Amino acid sequence: MTNEEYQQAIEWLFVQAPNYQLEGKKAYKPGLDNIVKLCEFFGNPQDKIKTVHIGGTNGKGSTSNLLASVMQEAGYRTGLYNSPHLIDFTERIKINGENCSKEFVCGFIQKLKTLPTDIRPSFFEFTTVMAFEYFHHNNVDLAIIEVGLGGRLDSTNIIQPLVSAVTNVALDHQNILGDTLEEIAAEKAGIIKSKTPIICGDDDLTVHSIMRARALEKNAPFIDATAIETTLTSDLTGNYQKKNIKVAVALVEELRKVGYSIAPQHIASGMLNVYRNTGFIGRWFKFSEDPLTICDTAHNQAGLTEVFEQLNSMDCRKHIVLGFVNDKKIDEVLKILPPNSSYYFVKPNIERGRNPSEYRNLLENAKINYKIYQNLQDGYVAALQNVSDGEMIFIGGSNFIVGEFLEKNLEK
């Protein structure tokens, strides 16, 4: 198989199926009818693998990679399903840190072309069943499945996991999940299954009460990860990872209860070697030392608040390159921007990307030092030209900004 054949197959998939990541709400297909039909067509591979299910507004990608790294250190063949990808589609589906093979992707897409006409899945549904089939085909000991969007109606919610977790709940995707914290928490609590342990990593009392009520209704053991005390550290160095580490520790303990042999040294080593074991990047990722350049995929107010707080703790001037998609409440983000910074606003190179010129009036009212650039690379080059010794660059605002930046600038 040539790289050209692989690219043609991926392009077919992107064109064929509506893709929420690129197109937004109009591509979103809530409900499990499609995924049920799709999985049945492939012989229900999700029922032939052992799984862990991880949802939440922020932190579910980090937590799933922390857990995967620990399981690999313990000697288990570990599948990992994350979204979206940053650089290449195959990042979404990994086994022991190795991306899904391009040959498998091409072969599976050929099978998708034979689907009955009454099954018209979304892009995410396609990739979800592809992950299930890949993990089954490769006999994983455990598959860690990250929720795509929400929980109750997410296509990953077809699985019957050994344990589930909700890392946290915050306002995001309100146009789909609901306008209030209570509504969004209820959607995320929809992954709680009968008699299946649920771990909650959020200390908000409202979120807790909703999660506990759902757990009680489902007769599911409820574990409060925020009560865990641990001194474990990770090579994922964002301050917010302390909360994710607690959820990962709770997940490990539940997996031990069902027979997985995971020693303390596996946990410690797994936490410290996530990048080496899983290839996970984009979360407080140090791109360079000179100038110090950090990128982070935080893209909603809750996530950006954590990231900006860490930036504020660094005693230097910042050059901050930001780009947003069009469903983000930019006025809320502008209220929490770090002071003593220069800003470079750019447009993500996707259909959902918002042109900064559209919110120029908000930028003017924010009274910040800023310029607008029509693309990410122009903004980054300008930041490079302006940064002085002892200053730093930050790049973020969207998964797509970080992915585009790494694709263009990371050494292959």
Side-chain angles (χ1 to χ4, degrees):
M1 184 207 70
T2 65
N3 192 57
E4 183 180 358
E5 289 170 332
Y6 166 73
Q7 292 299 335
Q8 287 174 349
I10 291 297
E11 285 170 14
W12 177 89
L13 186 57
F14 273 89
V15 170
Q16 181 73 16
N19 185 346
Y20 172 81
Q21 298 295 340
L22 300 182
E23 301 172 42
K25 186 176 180 179
K26 66 181 180 180
Y28 178 61
K29 290 190 174 185
L32 302 181
D33 289 349
N34 265 331
I35 193 68
V36 167
K37 292 178 183 177
L38 198 54
C39 286
E40 285 176 349
F41 181 82
F42 286 98
N44 288 313
Q46 79 283 358
D47 293 337
K48 300 169 185 175
I49 54 177
K50 294 177 180 178
T51 59
V52 169
H53 205 191
I54 301 178
T57 302
N58 298 309
K60 55 186 181 287
S62 295
T63 302
S64 59
N65 277 268
L66 285 163
L67 179 60
S69 182
V70 170
M71 297 306 291
Q72 288 171 226
E73 290 285 339
Y76 291 103
R77 187 167 175 77
T78 306
L80 181 60
Y81 179 48
N82 291 137
S83 63
H85 61 271
L86 290 180
I87 299 174
D88 188 77
F89 173 84
T90 56
E91 294 168 32
R92 292 171 178 252
I93 305 169
K94 295 181 179 180
I95 296 176
N96 283 8
E98 292 291 328
N99 289 5
C100 179
S101 79
K102 293 182 177 180
E103 288 79 8
F104 181 88
V105 170
C106 283
F108 196 82
I109 289 174
Q110 296 309 312
K111 294 178 184 177
L112 292 177
K113 293 179 180 179
T114 68
L115 282 174
T117 55
D118 65 322
I119 307 178
R120 296 262 61 89
S122 69
F123 178 88
F124 188 72
E125 288 164 338
F126 274 146
T127 59
T128 298
V129 75
M130 186 185 298
F132 294 154
E133 182 69 5
Y134 191 66
F135 297 149
H136 168 56
H137 179 76
N138 286 279
N139 299 310
V140 298
D141 297 312
L142 184 72
I144 300 164
I145 308 297
E146 178 191 350
V147 172
L149 178 62
R152 180 176 65 93
L153 300 176
D154 189 74
S155 60
T156 64
N157 206 25
I158 194 174
I159 62 176
Q160 296 293 325
L162 300 171
V163 56
S164 303
V166 174
T167 55
N168 56 53
V169 178
L171 295 177
D172 197 16
H173 302 297
Q174 291 99 309
N175 59 332
I176 292 174
L177 301 179
D179 292 322
T180 67
L181 196 67
E182 290 85 350
E183 289 174 317
I184 295 172
E187 287 298 312
K188 295 190 183 297
I191 69 170
I192 299 175
K193 304 292 195 307
S194 176
K195 299 180 181 179
T196 302
I198 175 68
I199 294 160
C200 180
D202 198 315
D203 57 8
D204 183 90
L205 294 178
T206 299
V207 173
H208 251 230
S209 64
I210 290 170
M211 293 290 164
R212 281 187 181 275
R214 176 72 173 180
L216 186 62
E217 177 189 324
K218 291 291 185 178
N219 195 23
F222 181 89
I223 298 100
D224 178 7
T226 66
I228 292 173
E229 294 185 7
T230 178
T231 58
L232 288 166
T233 57
S234 174
D235 59 338
L236 304 182
T237 56
N239 289 344
Y240 53 83
Q241 298 295 357
K242 295 172 185 175
K243 300 174 184 177
N244 297 327
I245 287 171
K246 290 185 176 186
V247 178
V249 167
L251 284 163
V252 168
E253 188 55 37
E254 293 306 309
L255 289 172
R256 278 173 162 170
K257 291 177 183 177
V258 294
Y260 287 90
S261 179
I262 309 160
Q265 64 265 29
H266 299 143
I267 302 172
S269 183
M271 298 289 180
L272 286 171
N273 293 288
V274 179
Y275 176 65
R276 184 193 72 189
N277 287 339
T278 74
F280 188 56
I281 58 174
R283 278 66 172 180
W284 201 260
F285 178 68
K286 187 181 291 186
F287 172 76
S288 74
E289 290 280 3
D290 186 20
L292 175 62
T293 303
I294 302 288
C295 52
D296 195 287
T297 58
H299 55 273
N300 52 50
Q301 187 180 4
L304 286 168
T305 296
E306 300 252 17
V307 168
F308 290 162
E309 283 178 358
Q310 189 162 353
L311 281 175
N312 284 333
S313 71
M314 303 171 72
D315 186 21
C316 66
R317 183 169 184 82
K318 292 95 183 174
H319 297 262
I320 299 178
V321 184
L322 294 174
F324 304 100
V325 293
N326 55 25
D327 60 344
K328 297 305 172 189
K329 296 190 174 181
I330 293 169
D331 55 334
E332 296 295 326
V333 173
L334 295 181
K335 294 175 185 176
I336 59 173
L337 293 178
N340 188 32
S341 302
S342 297
Y343 287 91
Y344 309 74
F345 287 93
V346 302
K347 179 184 181 298
N349 187 28
I350 58 166
E351 185 177 339
R352 286 172 65 209
R354 189 166 180 188
N355 191 319
S357 299
E358 296 176 10
Y359 53 89
R360 187 189 295 272
N361 61 323
L362 295 176
L363 298 176
E364 288 294 329
N365 292 335
K367 295 181 170 55
I368 56 175
N369 177 18
Y370 79 93
K371 285 188 177 179
I372 287 174
Y373 299 86
Q374 290 307 302
N375 62 71
L376 166 64
Q377 202 64 11
D378 285 352
Y380 170 56
V381 169
L384 268 180
Q385 291 171 342
N386 292 332
V387 68
S388 299
D389 289 346
E391 299 180 346
M392 70 167 291
I393 296 173
F394 175 84
I395 296 156
S398 163
N399 282 291
F400 306 103
I401 285 294
V402 174
E404 186 181 343
F405 170 74
L406 293 176
E407 183 175 16
K408 283 184 166 65
N409 299 287
L410 198 63
E411 290 184 12
K412 299 295 188 290

